[in-house]
Amino acid sequence: MRNLWTILASRHVTCHPTEKPEKPLERIIQLGSRLGDMILDPFMGSGTTGVVAKKLGRNFIGIEIKEEYFDMADKRISATSKKSSWFDKLHPHSKKKGHQKTLV
Protein backbone atom coordinates (compact mmCIF):
# COMPACT_ATOMS: atom_id res chain seq x y z
CA MET A 1 0.00 0.00 0.00
CA ARG A 2 1.35 3.42 -0.92
CA ASN A 3 0.40 6.49 1.12
CA LEU A 4 2.80 9.01 -0.37
CA TRP A 5 1.30 11.71 -2.58
CA THR A 6 3.49 13.44 -5.13
CA ILE A 7 2.15 16.94 -5.71
CA LEU A 8 4.02 19.71 -7.49
CA ALA A 9 4.55 22.93 -5.56
CA SER A 10 2.46 25.95 -6.51
CA ARG A 11 2.80 29.67 -5.90
CA HIS A 12 0.70 31.55 -3.38
CA VAL A 13 -2.44 33.15 -4.76
CA THR A 14 -2.82 35.60 -1.86
CA CYS A 15 -0.63 37.51 0.61
CA HIS A 16 -1.59 35.21 3.51
CA PRO A 17 1.64 33.89 5.08
CA THR A 18 0.50 30.27 5.48
CA GLU A 19 -1.71 29.77 2.44
CA LYS A 20 -2.20 26.09 1.59
CA PRO A 21 -2.01 24.71 -1.95
CA GLU A 22 -5.29 23.51 -3.48
CA LYS A 23 -4.15 20.09 -4.79
CA PRO A 24 -3.66 18.33 -1.41
CA LEU A 25 -6.91 19.83 -0.13
CA GLU A 26 -8.76 18.52 -3.21
CA ARG A 27 -7.63 14.98 -2.40
CA ILE A 28 -8.41 15.29 1.30
CA ILE A 29 -11.91 16.70 0.68
CA GLN A 30 -12.70 14.11 -2.00
CA LEU A 31 -11.53 11.25 0.25
CA GLY A 32 -13.27 12.52 3.39
CA SER A 33 -16.62 13.83 2.15
CA ARG A 34 -19.40 13.46 -0.39
CA LEU A 35 -21.13 15.90 -2.71
CA GLY A 36 -23.25 18.29 -0.63
CA ASP A 37 -21.46 17.56 2.68
CA MET A 38 -20.41 20.38 5.00
CA ILE A 39 -16.71 21.24 5.34
CA LEU A 40 -15.59 23.20 8.43
CA ASP A 41 -12.36 25.21 8.53
CA PRO A 42 -12.02 26.82 11.98
CA PHE A 43 -8.83 28.65 10.92
CA MET A 44 -9.91 29.83 7.45
CA GLY A 45 -7.06 32.22 6.61
CA SER A 46 -7.24 33.11 2.93
CA GLY A 47 -10.05 30.61 2.26
CA THR A 48 -8.32 27.93 0.19
CA THR A 49 -10.33 25.14 1.84
CA GLY A 50 -13.55 27.01 1.04
CA VAL A 51 -12.50 27.55 -2.57
CA VAL A 52 -11.77 23.85 -3.02
CA ALA A 53 -14.94 22.79 -1.17
CA LYS A 54 -17.07 24.98 -3.44
CA LYS A 55 -15.33 23.70 -6.60
CA LEU A 56 -16.06 20.14 -5.46
CA GLY A 57 -19.75 20.77 -4.64
CA ARG A 58 -19.40 20.78 -0.86
CA ASN A 59 -20.89 23.35 1.49
CA PHE A 60 -18.46 25.30 3.65
CA ILE A 61 -18.28 27.06 7.00
CA GLY A 62 -15.13 29.07 7.67
CA ILE A 63 -14.11 30.85 10.86
CA GLU A 64 -11.39 33.52 10.84
CA ILE A 65 -10.51 35.91 13.66
CA LYS A 66 -8.77 38.52 11.47
CA GLU A 67 -11.28 40.56 9.49
CA GLU A 68 -8.70 41.29 6.77
CA TYR A 69 -8.26 37.57 6.03
CA PHE A 70 -11.98 36.88 6.40
CA ASP A 71 -12.77 39.49 3.74
CA MET A 72 -10.05 38.07 1.47
CA ALA A 73 -11.46 34.55 1.87
CA ASP A 74 -15.04 35.71 1.32
CA LYS A 75 -14.08 37.36 -1.99
CA ARG A 76 -12.13 34.29 -3.15
CA ILE A 77 -14.93 31.87 -2.30
CA SER A 78 -17.62 34.09 -3.81
CA ALA A 79 -15.63 34.34 -7.06
CA THR A 80 -15.19 30.57 -7.29
CA SER A 81 -17.36 28.47 -9.58
CA LYS A 82 -18.38 24.90 -8.85
CA LYS A 83 -16.86 22.35 -11.19
CA SER A 84 -19.48 20.51 -13.22
CA SER A 85 -19.37 16.75 -12.78
CA TRP A 86 -21.05 13.71 -14.27
CA PHE A 87 -23.05 13.36 -11.02
CA ASP A 88 -24.60 16.83 -11.50
CA LYS A 89 -25.70 15.88 -14.99
CA LEU A 90 -27.33 12.65 -13.79
CA HIS A 91 -28.91 14.22 -10.69
CA PRO A 92 -29.70 17.87 -11.51
CA HIS A 93 -32.08 18.29 -8.53
CA SER A 94 -29.56 17.20 -5.88
CA LYS A 95 -27.57 20.46 -5.90
CA LYS A 96 -27.18 22.39 -2.68
CA LYS A 97 -26.55 26.11 -3.07
CA GLY A 98 -24.20 28.67 -1.59
CA HIS A 99 -21.64 28.84 1.13
CA GLN A 100 -22.02 29.99 4.69
CA LYS A 101 -19.70 32.44 6.41
CA THR A 102 -19.01 33.33 9.99
CA LEU A 103 -16.96 36.18 11.42
CA VAL A 104 -16.05 35.66 15.07
Side-chain angles (χ1 to χ4, degrees), residues 6-70:
T6 304
I7 298 171
L8 299 175
S10 59
R11 295 195 181 272
H12 282 222
V13 184
T14 71
C15 63
H16 192 279
T18 61
E19 179 184 323
K20 307 301 179 276
E22 290 186 19
K23 286 294 179 193
L25 290 171
E26 282 180 12
R27 288 188 183 183
I28 292 165
I29 290 172
Q30 286 175 328
L31 288 170
S33 66
R34 296 181 180 155
L35 188 68
D37 280 356
M38 184 67 67
I39 306 297
L40 170 65
D41 186 352
F43 306 99
M44 182 168 60
S46 64
T48 306
T49 302
V51 167
V52 174
K54 188 172 180 182
K55 284 180 181 178
L56 297 176
R58 275 62 167 182
N59 294 297
F60 175 76
I61 296 175
I63 302 168
E64 175 56 52
I65 197 166
K66 289 194 170 189
E67 192 168 356
E68 167 190 1
Y69 294 141
F70 178 88

